[in-house]
Amino acid sequence: MESVGSGLAAIDWHDDRADVYLSRPDKRNAMTVPLMDDLITAFERVDADEDIRAATLLGEGPVFCAGMDLEMMRDRVEPDAEIDRNKFPEVLETIEETRQPVVVGIKRAAPAGAFELTLPCDFRIIGRNAKYGLLEVQLGTFPHAGGTQRLPRLVGLSKAKEIVLTGEFIDPEEAADIGLTHEVVDTDDVDERAKAFADDLCENAPLGLRNAKKALNAALETPLEQGLAYERQLAYEIDDTHDYREGFEARLEGREPEFRGE
C-alpha cells in the first residue's frame, strides 16, 4: 500500500486495478482538507497510469466514511477560518473525470458528505446494513457539493427530493431498487465485492471503457443531436486501434481477447 501526500489516502496498486483508500480509520475516515487533498492526488495518479483499467474507492478500517469532520465544519464559519470551500467539489470532479471506471464500496456508513462522495463514482456496492443518506437538513444546511444536482440525475427529481428534504437514511435494498446503488452485499463482503466488480471491468477493452464513460457522462448534459455526434467522434477515435481489431478477431476465433489499451 502506497501512502499519498500527508498519508490520509493510500493506493494499493494491482496489475490493472488500483484501490484508493481513505486512510483515517481512527476517525472513521471523516474528511478533512488534508484528506481531500490526498484523494485528489490519488485519483490524479490513477488517471495518469496507462496500465490501470479500473479503480475502487474504499475506506480503510471498518467504515467507509463518516462524512465531513464535524469540528472542521463547525469551525469553518469562524471569522478567521481558512477553509477552502471549493476543495470538496474539486475532489468529486476529479473522481468523476477519472478516465477509468470507479467502483465505490459503501460499508457501514456513508452519511452526508460521504454520500455525496459516492455519487460521482460509476458503480456503488453497498453493505446490507449501511447508514446511507443526506442528513444536511438536520444539521442546519443542505447538501451543496453536488448532492442536489447529481442525485436527481441518478434517481429522478421526486426521489431525490425525498432523500434530500427528509434527511433520512435510505434502506440499501431500496437504494438498489431505484438504481442508486448497483449491488447489496453483506457488510464484510463490501470491499472484496467492489474489487471483484472492478476486476470484471478490467477484462474489457480499456479504450472502449474510457470513451464509453466519456459519452455516458455527457449524455445528460448535452442535447441528443450533439450527444450522438460526440458518441460517434469517440467511437471513430478507436476504430484504427489494436484493441478494436483484437476484439473482433478474438470473437471470430472463439478465444479471449488480449487487450493492450492501444
Side-chain angles (χ1 to χ4, degrees):
M1 190 102 72
E2 174 189 346
S3 291
V4 174
S6 61
L8 297 177
I11 308 173
D12 195 7
W13 299 98
H14 299 270
D15 290 340
D16 46 19
R17 187 190 85 229
D19 301 324
V20 177
Y21 284 89
L22 289 82
S23 188
R24 198 184 178 215
D26 56 319
K27 298 293 185 179
R28 293 162 54 90
N29 296 318
M31 287 181 284
T32 59
V33 170
L35 189 156
M36 289 186 266
D37 280 331
D38 289 354
L39 280 178
I40 291 169
T41 299
F43 275 100
E44 287 176 343
R45 290 186 186 175
V46 170
D47 180 76
D49 193 316
E50 294 292 337
D51 293 328
I52 296 300
R53 300 186 182 184
T56 65
L57 175 59
L58 308 170
E60 188 177 332
V63 174
F64 169 62
C65 178
M68 291 294 174
D69 185 277
L70 293 180
E71 292 183 2
M72 178 189 74
M73 296 300 289
R74 179 200 63 197
D75 295 343
R76 76 174 187 170
V77 298
E78 297 299 322
D80 60 346
E82 296 183 2
I83 298 295
D84 184 353
R85 291 174 178 267
N86 294 319
K87 184 63 65 178
F88 189 43
E90 184 181 351
V91 173
L92 304 187
E93 289 165 12
T94 301
I95 294 172
E96 197 162 51
E97 294 170 4
T98 298
R99 291 179 297 167
Q100 302 89 340
V102 179
V103 185
V104 60
I106 306 163
K107 61 184 179 186
R108 290 190 171 86
F115 185 107
E116 288 187 294
L117 180 62
T118 72
L119 296 182
C121 298
D122 301 291
F123 301 96
R124 287 163 288 279
I125 308 299
I126 190 168
R128 212 170 298 282
N129 300 313
K131 301 297 185 183
Y132 189 50
L134 291 169
L135 315 182
E136 283 87 343
V137 294
Q138 299 181 5
L139 300 173
T141 183
F142 73 96
H144 52 275
T148 67
Q149 302 304 304
R150 290 187 177 93
L151 185 60
R153 287 166 166 79
L154 293 172
V155 302
L157 182 58
S158 180
K159 198 64 184 180
K161 285 183 176 180
E162 178 185 332
I163 294 170
V164 171
L165 299 181
T166 66
E168 301 292 341
F169 290 121
I170 182 169
D171 180 78
E173 295 289 352
E174 181 184 0
D177 288 343
I178 64 176
L180 176 56
T181 58
H182 296 82
E183 287 187 22
V184 182
V185 300
D186 290 339
T187 298
D188 292 342
D189 297 333
V190 169
D191 286 0
E192 291 307 312
R193 179 56 192 142
K195 294 174 186 177
F197 197 108
D199 284 338
D200 288 342
L201 295 172
C202 290
E203 297 297 320
N204 297 319
L207 297 179
L209 285 173
R210 294 175 188 181
N211 281 20
K213 177 174 175 176
K214 288 180 184 179
L216 288 163
N217 282 350
L220 296 180
E221 308 298 331
T222 56
L224 179 59
E225 184 175 350
Q226 183 180 341
L228 291 170
Y230 183 53
E231 180 186 67
R232 290 192 297 273
Q233 172 194 328
L234 292 170
Y236 297 158
E237 289 178 2
I238 58 178
D239 275 355
D240 188 25
T241 62
H242 165 272
D243 284 0
Y244 182 92
R245 293 187 292 273
E246 171 65 10
F248 283 96
E249 288 175 3
R251 182 59 59 94
L252 289 169
E253 296 170 8
R255 59 177 175 81
E256 293 297 319
E258 297 181 7
F259 295 122
R260 300 198 309 230
E262 57 188 42

